[in-house]
Amino acid sequence: MVINTKLSFAFLLFSLFFLSVTFSLAVANVDPELQLCKSQCRTYHEFSHRQRRECEQKCEDYHGQNHGEGEGEGGGGSRIVLNSNTDPEKQLQQCQKQCERQREQQKEQCRRQCQDTYERQRGEEGKGGGGQSGEKDEQGRQQEQGQEQEQEQGQEQQEQNPYVFQDQHYTASLETNEGRIKILQRFHQRSRLLRGLKNYRFVYLEANPQTFVLPAHLDAEAVVYVASGRGTLSLVSQGKRESFNIKQGDIVRIRAGTTIYMINRDKNKKLRIAKLLQPVALPDEFQPFYGPAGENPQSFYRAFSEELLSSALKVEQDRVQRVIKQQNKGVIVKASEQQIQALSQREESGMFPFPFGSTESKRVFNLLSKEPSISNRYGRLHEADANEFQQLQDMDIAVSYSNITKGSMEGPFFNTRATKIAVVVKGEGYMEMACPHVSQQQQGQGQSTGEQRREQQQQSASPHYQRLSSPLKRGMLFVVPAGHPLIVVAGNNRNLEIVCFDVNAENNRRESLAGDKNIVNALEKEAKELAFSIPAREVDEVFAKQNEWWFFPGPRGGHAYA
Amino acid sequence: MVINTKLSFAFLLFSLFFLSVTFSLAVANVDPELQLCKSQCRTYHEFSHRQRRECEQKCEDYHGQNHGEGEGEGGGGSRIVLNSNTDPEKQLQQCQKQCERQREQQKEQCRRQCQDTYERQRGEEGKGGGGQSGEKDEQGRQQEQGQEQEQEQGQEQQEQNPYVFQDQHYTASLETNEGRIKILQRFHQRSRLLRGLKNYRFVYLEANPQTFVLPAHLDAEAVVYVASGRGTLSLVSQGKRESFNIKQGDIVRIRAGTTIYMINRDKNKKLRIAKLLQPVALPDEFQPFYGPAGENPQSFYRAFSEELLSSALKVEQDRVQRVIKQQNKGVIVKASEQQIQALSQREESGMFPFPFGSTESKRVFNLLSKEPSISNRYGRLHEADANEFQQLQDMDIAVSYSNITKGSMEGPFFNTRATKIAVVVKGEGYMEMACPHVSQQQQGQGQSTGEQRREQQQQSASPHYQRLSSPLKRGMLFVVPAGHPLIVVAGNNRNLEIVCFDVNAENNRRESLAGDKNIVNALEKEAKELAFSIPAREVDEVFAKQNEWWFFPGPRGGHAYA
Amino acid sequence: MVINTKLSFAFLLFSLFFLSVTFSLAVANVDPELQLCKSQCRTYHEFSHRQRRECEQKCEDYHGQNHGEGEGEGGGGSRIVLNSNTDPEKQLQQCQKQCERQREQQKEQCRRQCQDTYERQRGEEGKGGGGQSGEKDEQGRQQEQGQEQEQEQGQEQQEQNPYVFQDQHYTASLETNEGRIKILQRFHQRSRLLRGLKNYRFVYLEANPQTFVLPAHLDAEAVVYVASGRGTLSLVSQGKRESFNIKQGDIVRIRAGTTIYMINRDKNKKLRIAKLLQPVALPDEFQPFYGPAGENPQSFYRAFSEELLSSALKVEQDRVQRVIKQQNKGVIVKASEQQIQALSQREESGMFPFPFGSTESKRVFNLLSKEPSISNRYGRLHEADANEFQQLQDMDIAVSYSNITKGSMEGPFFNTRATKIAVVVKGEGYMEMACPHVSQQQQGQGQSTGEQRREQQQQSASPHYQRLSSPLKRGMLFVVPAGHPLIVVAGNNRNLEIVCFDVNAENNRRESLAGDKNIVNALEKEAKELAFSIPAREVDEVFAKQNEWWFFPGPRGGHAYA
Ligand SMILES: [Cu+2]
Ligand SMILES: [Cu+2]
Ligand SMILES: [Cu+2]
């Protein structure tokens, strides 16, 4: 569910071409997201008039008002007609039929677009609406400016906000007919400001319905979060196998060197998995090792001399070689109904922890079926750290899930020790973060060398906090370093759901900067006076009003103070 | 108390200008420190005649014999007349009155100089003497060669001895009317030989009497040592506040992300604080985050959109903005008598640990009121590690305080695992350290590139140990890597007091290289013979004579063996 | 026993010159090692015809067929005649007598060659044979192409296989008349692929019979393995000394800053020691600190001013200086019979753990006298981790010893978390490893910069596994990163003995890839089908045949499947 925005964008561009251009324009004109986006442009105080205009232009580009200009790009590509107002399953079949008419190399992309659209329509976005409204909703945010231009924007954005990752920040991508695995670039390669995460890597996996993901071990410790779908996961170590069903919200800790494989048991939905890895052999690099495989993926058995392998297995060389050269369908392959049946587990071990097992023995932890730590009408927060799921201990990671009610917001708050890697799994909205690092770099006028910049970063003991802001959409990832104040706002149309991997979790505390228990309210009267340089009464009138905690109504949530 | 040497030097230069030049020269001519300094020049066997002469010249420069040449520099600056033989408090008032006549931008510097002199005169340097003798003592070490020349010397010294830090090695400095915060450059930026400390930073804070230091949280773990003064410290986390009085010798552990603020309760003395930080978000960088603040320091609340802040606090935008833009006096502000009263704590929680609290619950640990681990007439050593003050555990740091009697010395000794960051808090003297690294670099003739040097550093398995020597003065900091033998000598006029942060404290042991329990005495007779290649009896006659331990009489401490 | 191959090669070159060239050629022509080597050239599928020919040429060079060309080199050097068919002890004496006739600077090298040959002849290589057969065996692998050519080959090999270290990869070497200490280059200096080991260093020490290794402390934690010989080790800390006898197979943990010295008690055999170090002051660098010493090695006491030392020791300066300038024989010195006697311990504390001591109190752990964890007719594996020898805990290291029966092999297997540093202590053979990193670099055509390479390393999510293969000989060291499948094959003439330091030992598991409990057998029938893309029955026919475990008959071990 995570990182498929770009492709679905492209797909929907084509759809729009067959639908009414006028209609989509009409919708877009009243799009509150667009207005929000533009209003953000005006809040960058540092922006010149020209910069502000450019910013607004980007909002418009992003929200697809001028998609008419995009048709040239779609000209040579694949065109697919989507018939709205029909049953999603039927639509999916129709769509995939059309794919057969595509040229060979575009077939797979086409099929994936069908699948994506189907899932959107099924209301996976949490709207529960029918086909048409789902479609209408897409229309507002379809258009894309093509790969090249987007990457340029990416470069630009990188300078301003190196904490946000999108499709173009995945360096490696393995695509098969039945799914894909994408590897996010090294965090510290993106920016020196992320060098605190240099021992972590992020991977996103997406498997089509009724598929098998081939066995492999990694030279990395891993925490896996199931973002959507239903599957069965198998872990092999020391000649023993453990299998258990997994479903949305499940967290699994996979130890380095454990051979892992899985199936997507669902007949319609994709299995989507987000993985945080901590490499063990090299600090910032990992490799998958496929053993039971063949030509593609290559089996590592093939690296050994035929005579050694033959001796080790006590079998003639020919027979060994025949077995390890057959597979050529890639890492994710289609499985038959019976194979899926056979590989599925009866029990949902994620839901029912072993009756007499210690916490340690539990292999799967479902984050969503756990009581939320915070819950009000504006959102809820589910958390799992090493106390709740002991297997997270040695990686020093906590996993949390925020569901922010549409039109509401989470924060302002900060983490005292942990650096947050947040993945948007559903919905959209935006975030604002206060960062003293970026602004110092910008003060350096951007012409300084890396070395100079490093010097400047601590030149002033009295920092300026730059607002870093970014729209959030499904599949985006952002990093919030320890200590940095953050607000996340859900769009007005749907809830915003975010899964966070918190690194350096031990002794981390969340600190609220508004509402109940905020840090200002804890000061003595005199400290308030001295800190704000105004009478304490005025401070209280601002900081002691809000009586909610953590999640608050958003700026358009019915409250209009301004 | 730590790092104000340069300014007070400058100040005393001016004083001297009004006192008798001849007098100070007369004093300097018999200065034993100067003789000592010069004698050190002769002990560098590698020095050429020219180098030796330069070395001696530096001694003379440093000890102020040719200060007459410095007057040109003082010409355009501020001149302050100090009337000796008066009550220090009166003198302080007079001095500050004179500051009012200064041009605006020099007023603050002037006031600080007054304060510094006052504290010197008050006998804080441990001499307990009256105004005049204190002054006479200054005269011997007044003169400085102006900022430029000092930095040059600094560069030079850096090449020879990258382990010693002075004023010019602070990269960031925040000065307000009421105090200052100085951030030491990254250790590993100074020299590759300090890359073992790349995850640590050092900060020095100095707050004037009756002031308030604004609340902030850091993205760093911290250990704080109170070098002088009396204050009250407040820590805010999870909406709760803890406050406790602090005084000289107190150690406080401050967790990352905890909001901290403090007052200087004293009416006359500065509050001086040395902090060792371990950043949590970036390996070698930290930032302060000021929330309850305004324009200067900037509040991080100002980074958020007005509409978000307004929603979060449930208050109109205007009122919010009014509160977070008022403060403009900087990080350290003057507090009224009543404010100080209200923010002070009744109990000195540092002195009396909680009656039923576990070690964990104790927030403040006073190093000086603890029994010394070693004490004789030549000095005493107070230590606190994780066993005594459990809060030091996770940072793996120990803190110690050495008070070396005037004319005596500590060591030779080495730490088995810990690298020592030593800060001179009072007095003066010098140190000698045996280092196999620097000598190898010098053998490379200084023209090799960084890469070449790195190669050379391990070229020989049989090392040469270079003597690294440095005068020590209040405010200086020096690093002693694990395994390096060290001697610290107190000057003949006053005790030398040093506070050490020992990094990698777990399983560290101090090993004595002379006196009781030295490593040579533990060898068997045959091992002595084989190691020294002389009869064991002769070895014993040298290594088994000293019956003191750790602290010994210094080279002029009444013993004249040579 | 570890790293003396090059010199003994050179020596044997000379011997051969006096023996029959024809004879050695005849032997070499049927050398199975050579055939094996050449056959490996043919298994590199990527090799062009020219490359294959070069590879075979190298085999021939290595195995000494064309040694006639080497004589020019030996011309100016020392020539020694070895009379075979005599008592080894007598031969040693004769040999050393001949050394006396050499020019002064070649005497020591000569003597060492005598010693090396003697030890070979004594059958230390595990063959137990007499003089002649021992010699014949050498002849097959004598010849070397001289230092220059070897280093060139080293460079080349480095590109292809950065995991294997030989003589030329030691950067620092301290040679005395009585032994030597060699320091391996930094792992990460060899290749970026070894940057996971950047906090570890490897040292090899070899002391002649009846010698004393001078006391020193290191700024590094250390684990020591005794590869051959019998000695007594002394540790001094806090003024106390502990001494205990050590012998082949002993593991000792030496804490940073502990002063250590030792004797070789044996009258004929060398004491050989392999050390893995973890520096504590600098991440990848350590230094020895010699205190009880003199001019060579230099005592660190000499770095201090004479007057300080005199005061610290309470002795006149002259007497101090006389004691610390005498030693000039270097780090390893000859000891008399009586000195050896006096310094030896009565009890073998390594063999008999203290009767009432906890595991912690045990200082020496003998790996070989422990029950093997795996043992069959093809080999045996002895292991010690923190559970068995608690002192290994904080360094997170395990030590193991593999004795692979001649003609047999260990693996295929991989370590889940640990990276293996393997040292060949006896015998010869070869290894094959599957590595996805090297092949990616090669695909980059070798012209890319470091930065580009780094990018490429993760470009593909579906890796290609390159076979990395290397002959193994006594004294070679190789690294196997976590997750990498490995096979080690013993030559047909003698057992191959390997000592491994496994870094990141905690939670590490060994995973077998063939025989009992291999990962393929643990898959369900359907998973086998889907992974290999052939019927499960055919998979089982290949992977379920072998019923041995871990050690298997080698490719020529009597089984001829091909
Ligand atoms: Cu930042
Ligand atoms: Cu050094
Ligand atoms: Cu590899």
Side-chain angles (χ1 to χ4, degrees), chain B residues 36 39-40 43 45 192-198 409 411-412 414-417 419 430 432-437 440 451 454-455 457-468 481-487 489 504 507 509-515 517-524 526-534 538-539 541-543 545-547 552-556 559 561-562, chain C residues 171-174 181 183 186 188-189 198 201 212 214-215 217-221 234 236-241 243 253 255-259 261 263 280-294 296-317 319-320 322-329 331 333-336 338-339 342-343 345 394:
Chain B
L36 182 59
S39 82
Q40 286 177 34
T43 56
H45 304 300
R192 285 199 80 245
L193 293 175
L194 295 174
R195 63 193 190 279
L197 291 177
K198 73 162 176 259
M409 67 192 199
F414 67 88
N415 272 322
T416 59
R417 255 189 81 84
T419 288
Y430 65 100
E432 288 189 3
M433 180 168 90
C435 173
H437 299 97
Q440 290 189 335
E451 196 51 42
R454 216 186 307 176
E455 291 292 330
Q457 278 171 28
Q458 286 272 353
Q459 221 58 276
S460 161
S462 174
H464 168 74
Y465 306 99
Q466 177 74 39
R467 178 190 314 155
L468 294 181
H484 284 57
L486 172 77
I487 300 178
V489 187
N504 289 338
N507 292 325
R509 303 181 310 271
R510 292 182 269 98
E511 298 281 353
S512 183
L513 293 168
K517 293 186 248 174
N518 75 58
I519 57 165
V520 175
N521 286 345
L523 306 190
E524 301 98 330
E526 293 77 14
K528 285 172 188 159
E529 279 169 17
L530 286 161
F532 284 105
S533 202
I534 53 166
E538 287 191 48
V539 175
E541 279 170 13
V542 164
F543 282 89
K545 271 284 184 64
Q546 179 62 272
N547 38 24
F552 306 109
R556 293 150 180 258
H559 303 265
Y561 296 104
Chain C
T171 51
S173 185
L174 185 152
I181 296 172
I183 303 172
R186 290 173 178 80
H188 64 108
Q189 201 171 305
K198 72 161 177 260
R201 298 297 301 267
F212 177 78
L214 261 69
H217 71 264
L218 298 180
D219 53 350
E221 304 288 350
S234 295
V236 176
S237 179
Q238 310 276 287
K240 277 175 216 142
R241 179 176 48 82
S243 297
R253 168 81 171 83
R255 302 205 165 268
T258 303
T259 300
Y261 59 96
I263 53 167
V280 296
L282 295 171
D284 57 359
E285 208 179 321
F286 68 94
Q287 290 285 348
F289 290 83
Y290 292 95
N296 174 23
Q298 198 196 25
S299 166
F300 57 67
Y301 280 108
R302 291 163 62 104
F304 292 114
S305 310
E306 300 191 10
E307 72 258 27
L308 288 196
L309 218 44
S310 160
S311 293
L313 298 172
K314 213 175 159 184
V315 181
E316 299 81 0
Q317 294 188 14
R319 298 181 68 175
V320 177
R322 198 167 56 233
V323 165
I324 58 175
K325 81 176 178 198
Q326 214 59 42
Q327 179 60 268
N328 65 358
K329 300 197 205 100
V331 168
V333 298
K334 193 80 195 168
S336 73
Q338 288 120 311
Q339 285 171 326
L343 292 171
Q345 290 298 300
D394 68 337

Side-chain angles (χ1 to χ4, degrees), chain C residues 26 62 80 118-119 130 145 158 175 241 245 258 261 320 332 343 369 380 387 407 456 473 496 503 507:
Chain C
Y62 196 78
I80 306 133
Y118 162 77
E119 294 199 0
Q145 299 304 307
Q158 175 173 350
E175 308 252 348
R241 179 176 48 82
N245 288 337
T258 303
Y261 59 96
V320 177
I332 305 175
L343 292 171
S369 59
R380 62 179 207 273
N387 293 320
Q456 288 162 4
K473 305 176 66 70
L496 176 60
V503 162
N507 292 325

